[in-house]
Amino acid sequence: MAKSGYERSAQVSGWLFVLPALVLLGVFMIYPIIWSLWMSFQVGRGMNLSFGGFTNIIRLTQDPVFIRALTNTLIFLAIQVPIMLVLALLFANALNDSKLWGRSWFRTAIFLPCVTSLVAYSVVFRSMFAQDGIINQMLMGLHIISGPIPWMADPFWAKVVIISAITWRWTGYNMIFYLAAMQNIDRSIYEAAKIDGVPAWARFWYITVPMLKPVILFTTVISTIGTLQLFDEPNLIPSTPGAPSDSTLTLSLYIFNLSFKFMPSFGYASTVSYVIVVLVGIMTLIQFLAARERRT
């Protein structure tokens, strides 16, 4: 059946409405993705590039700096994400209690770090964990340690500082999702459990957590993606990005170094960036499959 003039006009108007967004999407997202994929097969320095096939992929397996950056990124992922999500869940559960004094103040205080200036909070963390910073002074004042800990000079403690900074910054962000989901759970379920004598910890574990599974999956996925792309904290908190001895170097920071420091290697940097893409895809698939198995 032929379309009327009004239907054709409405269809054209619709396409004209979305055209600017499609152009921006194509120029700033689709084109860079296709171009970076092509670049990942190029070898050379600067703009003197030539097709190298799988040379960059072979180079990955022989590059100790890449292996170190990959290892650091996976360490941050394995340690920081579970700690952050558990803290966010516990904070949300506490703030879901309408009888908690100062609930609005605590909610704001926990959420505030994720909207704080990145540079400002990085400077604060660098100052706090300096050799003569407030953390060492407080620990020595409490006689927990006898001498200052070289936080940013020791590879182990440097990782601890980075994990602490990321957790401090993003716990409140995830807490908001959990808190909003908890407030949508039917209160009658909790009241029935109370009447049956179910203790508070059992109500949390057997009622709240199962009800939050979709939200937990969502926060786990976005936190995983964010940590695999970790760049800001390792770049700004140490005195030298990735220091000491590349112990805080991440894949994103390594890509930045390859692209904009010394003689750029855009082809190899593109190859490393697709390692992140593959890791994100694998981690997300595993999390979705695990969530599906728990539902069946």
Side-chain angles (χ1 to χ4, degrees), residues 109-110 112-114 116 121 125 163-172:
I110 297 171
L112 189 61
C114 73
T116 302
Y121 112 90
F125 261 82
I163 290 172
S164 301
I166 307 167
T167 303
W168 179 82
R169 187 181 182 199
W170 293 113
T171 295

Side-chain angles (χ1 to χ4, degrees), residues 88-285:
L89 188 58
L90 294 177
F91 283 142
N93 188 60
L95 292 173
N96 195 39
D97 185 0
S98 58
K99 297 179 182 179
L100 179 67
W101 179 85
R103 184 170 65 154
S104 298
W105 186 90
F106 284 116
R107 182 171 59 236
T108 303
I110 297 171
F111 180 74
L112 189 61
C114 73
V115 295
T116 302
S117 167
L118 176 62
V119 175
Y121 112 90
S122 298
V123 170
V124 168
F125 261 82
R126 183 188 295 184
S127 174
M128 288 171 54
F129 287 94
Q131 194 83 355
D132 57 348
I134 188 174
I135 300 296
N136 276 334
Q137 297 297 326
M138 182 177 63
L139 293 176
M140 289 189 292
L142 295 173
H143 303 288
I144 297 175
I145 58 175
S146 58
I149 296 175
W151 295 104
M152 299 312 301
D154 181 89
F156 172 80
W157 291 115
K159 285 187 175 69
V160 171
V161 174
I162 298 299
I163 290 172
S164 301
I166 307 167
T167 303
W168 179 82
R169 187 181 182 199
W170 293 113
T171 295
Y173 177 80
N174 291 287
M175 179 200 71
I176 293 298
F177 289 106
Y178 293 143
L179 185 58
M182 287 180 182
Q183 291 174 348
N184 284 324
I185 298 176
D186 190 351
R187 305 306 301 178
S188 64
I189 300 175
Y190 292 106
E191 292 170 2
K194 285 182 182 179
I195 293 173
D196 291 338
V198 179
W201 70 266
R203 293 197 299 271
F204 173 76
W205 186 252
Y206 293 107
I207 297 177
T208 305
V209 172
M211 292 282 189
L212 295 181
K213 280 184 179 179
V215 182
I216 292 173
L217 175 62
F218 170 76
T219 54
T220 303
V221 169
I222 62 171
S223 298
T224 298
I225 294 172
T227 304
L228 287 173
Q229 296 175 334
L230 181 62
F231 173 82
D232 297 324
E233 286 79 5
N235 185 46
L236 295 174
I237 294 178
S239 56
T240 303
S245 304
D246 290 338
S247 62
T248 59
L249 181 69
T250 60
L251 290 174
S252 293
L253 185 55
Y254 188 40
I255 293 169
F256 176 81
N257 292 341
L258 289 169
S259 301
F260 302 107
K261 284 191 174 182
F262 314 115
M263 181 61 76
S265 181
F266 297 118
Y268 187 52
S270 298
T271 304
V272 177
S273 69
Y274 273 93
V275 172
I276 297 179
V277 173
V278 171
L279 286 174
V280 168
I282 292 173
M283 296 295 181
T284 304
L285 179 62

